[in-house]
């Protein structure tokens, strides 16, 4: 007889508590105590001088990260949201420019565009890797398009080669939001380093973290200079340094402190292990889930690697005969931790539906009534919407310290639920 599902009163498969992932240890504490002993918690000065580029830990962290990621410039920031804002300013975004972005991402990928008075245009995603679909991007490029923000969602790098080819043809910039993909690769190159600029989040639920923080990466000298300026009160500095083009030189304070940089130095040495471990855990799960019908396991493009911030799956309700919420409830009852349904459709957030961002007159949209031709209506990105409403299911790999036996048990819970699908109908 088949074991009864826990949701129907059977015994749950997983009863132990899976520990939360925590990569902070003695190494970080030791580096932080060096900062404390130095007495200098931030070395930044918002004026054109040696100290404009930050203190010794910040600079050491940036230079080691540049070596690690194989990129010319790394600029640390106090969050990746700050990095997105600084990066978009640095590539010369104008108010009213259209910037093409994925709707299947965290909201900051799109709101950073609004901070420069520019207009997000949502392109659809590809069902196989959940990243922006270059064909959809191409169909949305118009006279006002200035840039593409590609998001390496869940840890799968987006198709940078195709996007860069489109950008070259149409004179656009490509910015990669690799918040979730530090350590993932395309060929031998790290995600985030294959476009005009990119970067990573260092917030507490990402692969490596400094509590809050981020890194902007670029091989372009001018972009790097602009990011450094926007990060640190640009308008007060450009005069001193003699910079002639002062467009977008409206500064913020996006500076990282020495304590965070010291933690980052220790964390950087743990990145490859963290990513490798998640890849191992993911492959255990994939080997089992592949045997079930009506579930798409992660598809990784040839030559690409995945960092598995989230282990992404797509359910096919036509094949399983059961709606996603019932399957998820059954899996949760079996004790599977860290499941998320749907993820995000940010074009449907009130900010876009009501077109109210800054002030109460609908800025920036109200000034450019001829722009964003595809609007923000439901239906503009059918794949992303179907994933959100029906298909997408993720396992939060970065939230837990999963072991091989956790993975086998989670796989077993899926098999148990699949063996009883008809009882969930
Ligand atoms: C985490 C994340 C961000 C924001 O990073 P913060 O460091 O939290 O500001 C942006 N984009 C994506 C895709 C993210 O996952």
């Amino acid at each position: 007889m088949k074991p009864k599902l826990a949701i129907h009163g059977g015994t749950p498969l997983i009863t132990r508590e899976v520990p939360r992932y925590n990569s902070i240890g003695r190494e970080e504490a030791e580096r932080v105590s060096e900062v404390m002993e130095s007495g200098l918690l931030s070395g930044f000065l918002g004026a054109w001088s040696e100290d404009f580029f930050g203190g010794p830990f910040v600079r050491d962290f940036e230079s080691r990260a540049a070596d690690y990621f194989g990129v010319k410039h790394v600029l640390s920031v106090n969050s990746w949201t700050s990095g997105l804002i600084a990066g978009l300013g640095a590539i010369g975004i104008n108010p009213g420019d259209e910037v093409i972005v994925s709707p299947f991402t965290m909201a900051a990928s799109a709101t950073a565009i609004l901070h420069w008075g520019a207009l997000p245009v949502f392109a659809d995603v590809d069902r196989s890797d959940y990243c922006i679909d270059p064909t959809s991007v191409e169909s949305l490029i118009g006279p006002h398009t200035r840039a593409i923000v590609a998001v390496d969602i869940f840890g799968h790098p987006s198709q940078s080669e195709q996007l860069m080819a489109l950008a070259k043809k149409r004179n656009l910039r490509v910015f990669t939001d690799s918040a979730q993909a530090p350590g993932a690769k395309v060929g031998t190159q790290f995600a985030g380093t294959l476009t005009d600029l990119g970067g990573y989040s260092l917030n507490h639920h990402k692969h490596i973290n400094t509590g809050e923080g981020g890194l902007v990466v670029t091989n372009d000298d001018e972009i790097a200079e602009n990011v450094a300026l926007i990060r640190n009160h640009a308008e007060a500095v450009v005069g001193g340094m003699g910079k002639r083009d002062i467009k977008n030189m409206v500064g913020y304070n996006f500076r990282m402190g020495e304590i965070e940089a010291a933690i980052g130095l220790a964390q950087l040495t743990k990145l490859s292990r963290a990513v490798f471990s998640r890849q191992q855990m993911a492959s255990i799960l994939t080997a089992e889930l592949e045997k079930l019908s009506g579930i798409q396991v992660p598809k990784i493009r040839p030559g690409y690697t995945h960092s598995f911030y989230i282990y992404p799956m797509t359910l096919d309700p036509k094949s399983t005969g059961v709606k996603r919420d019932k399957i998820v409830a059954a899996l949760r009852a079996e004790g599977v931790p860290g499941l998320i349904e749907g993820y995000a459709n940010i074009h449907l957030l009130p900010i876009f539906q009501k077109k109210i961002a800054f002030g109460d007159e609908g800025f920036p949209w109200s000034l450019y009534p001829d722009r964003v031709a595809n609007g923000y209506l439901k239906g503009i990105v059918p794949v992303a919407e179907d994933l959100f409403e029906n298909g997408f299911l993720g396992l939060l790999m970065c939230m837990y310290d999963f072991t091989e036996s956790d993975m086998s048990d989670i796989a077993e819970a899926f098999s148990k639920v699949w063996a009883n699908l008809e009882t969930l109908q």
Side-chain angles (χ1 to χ4, degrees):
M1 209 184 83
K2 278 189 287 197
K4 203 173 178 184
L5 290 179
I7 201 165
H8 295 145
T11 313
L13 254 166
I14 305 168
T15 49
R16 64 179 178 281
E17 190 84 25
V18 180
R20 291 293 178 113
Y21 169 59
N22 175 16
S23 61
I24 302 297
R26 212 192 52 225
E27 302 79 6
E28 285 74 15
E30 280 168 6
R31 297 313 304 263
V32 167
S33 68
E34 290 175 45
V35 176
M36 300 309 278
E37 277 156 33
S38 80
L40 185 75
L41 304 189
S42 175
F44 275 106
L45 209 62
W48 186 240
S49 66
E50 247 314 272
D51 295 332
F52 173 70
F53 294 101
F57 283 86
V58 160
R59 286 195 237 179
D60 193 20
F61 181 32
E62 291 176 346
S63 111
R64 281 172 204 265
D67 286 346
Y68 185 93
F69 292 111
V71 71
K72 197 165 173 197
H73 303 281
V74 172
L75 288 306
S76 61
V77 276
N78 60 355
S79 77
W80 176 236
T81 301
S82 302
L84 286 164
I85 296 171
L88 283 162
I91 58 177
I93 294 296
N94 288 298
D97 282 347
E98 294 179 342
V99 178
I100 299 175
V101 62
S102 168
F104 204 57
T105 178
M106 194 244 170
S109 314
T111 53
I113 297 163
L114 291 172
H115 278 279
W116 295 98
L119 311 168
V121 171
F122 293 102
D124 212 349
V125 298
D126 189 302
R127 278 190 189 277
S128 79
D129 61 11
Y130 310 98
C131 295
I132 205 164
D133 177 352
T135 314
S136 174
V137 171
E138 185 165 22
S139 74
L140 294 168
I141 297 175
H144 303 292
T145 311
R146 183 78 170 203
I148 301 164
V149 174
V151 186
D152 296 342
I153 202 71
F154 312 131
H156 191 295
S158 35
Q159 295 183 72
S160 44
E161 199 183 317
Q162 286 76 354
L163 296 172
M164 286 301 280
L166 277 180
K168 200 169 166 200
K169 229 168 35 185
R170 309 296 291 264
N171 196 24
L172 313 176
R173 292 289 204 170
V174 183
F175 188 179
T176 306
D177 178 349
S178 294
Q180 306 182 355
K185 286 184 172 177
V186 180
T188 57
Q189 287 174 286
F190 281 105
T193 68
L194 294 114
T195 53
D196 294 303
L197 74 169
Y200 316 109
S201 168
L202 299 171
N203 84 19
H204 76 105
H205 51 79
K206 300 286 160 59
H207 291 80
I208 58 169
N209 87 91
T210 57
E212 302 289 354
L215 295 173
V216 180
V217 299
T218 182
N219 286 307
D220 184 302
D221 297 341
E222 194 188 348
I223 291 174
E225 181 178 271
N226 291 346
V227 169
L229 281 160
I230 294 167
R231 162 177 82 174
N232 190 8
H233 305 292
E235 71 289 343
V237 180
V238 288
M241 73 186 280
K243 189 177 170 71
R244 254 177 287 174
D245 181 3
I246 65 161
K247 172 182 172 183
N248 287 353
M249 290 299 114
V250 182
Y252 289 89
N253 177 349
F254 288 157
R255 309 178 310 204
M256 176 178 273
E258 291 286 278
I259 292 177
E260 287 75 15
I263 295 169
L265 277 162
Q267 286 278 294
L268 195 57
T269 68
K270 300 181 177 180
L271 177 60
S272 63
R273 212 173 340 131
V275 171
F276 181 70
S277 151
R278 291 195 172 83
Q279 290 167 341
Q280 297 292 104
M281 296 306 122
S283 66
I284 295 171
L285 196 54
T286 297
E288 294 304 314
L289 299 191
E290 254 168 3
K291 299 173 189 161
L292 309 176
S293 57
I295 180 167
Q296 177 186 300
V297 296
K299 290 187 183 176
I300 303 171
R301 290 183 191 280
Y304 287 51
T305 67
H306 201 301
S307 67
F308 292 104
Y309 171 70
I310 287 175
Y311 180 94
M313 297 162 270
T314 304
L315 304 180
D316 178 2
K318 280 196 211 84
S319 158
T320 60
V322 184
K323 286 203 165 142
R324 178 179 62 193
D325 58 345
K326 291 197 173 156
I327 290 182
V328 172
L331 289 166
R332 287 198 177 119
E334 296 300 333
V336 177
L339 290 174
I340 53 157
E341 291 172 69
Y343 200 61
N345 264 188
I346 56 178
H347 64 297
L348 300 178
L349 293 176
I351 187 172
F352 298 111
Q353 289 302 303
K354 296 182 193 289
K355 290 192 182 162
I356 295 176
F358 299 102
D360 50 25
E361 288 180 6
F363 181 82
W365 298 281
S366 53
L367 289 190
Y368 311 98
D370 62 323
R371 317 261 163 110
V372 199
N374 75 335
Y376 298 125
L377 298 178
K378 200 161 172 331
I380 56 168
V381 284
V383 175
E385 289 173 11
D386 182 45
L387 290 168
F388 182 60
E389 285 164 27
N390 305 304
F392 184 76
L393 176 62
L395 178 67
L396 299 170
M397 299 287 282
C398 254
M399 189 174 275
Y400 294 96
D401 214 353
F402 286 127
T403 61
E404 289 178 24
S405 65
D406 293 329
M407 288 293 112
S408 324
D409 289 352
I410 290 171
E412 208 179 320
F414 273 82
S415 304
K416 183 179 171 189
V417 168
W418 254 248
N420 289 282
L421 282 176
E422 76 287 348
T423 69
L424 291 171
Q425 274 160 2

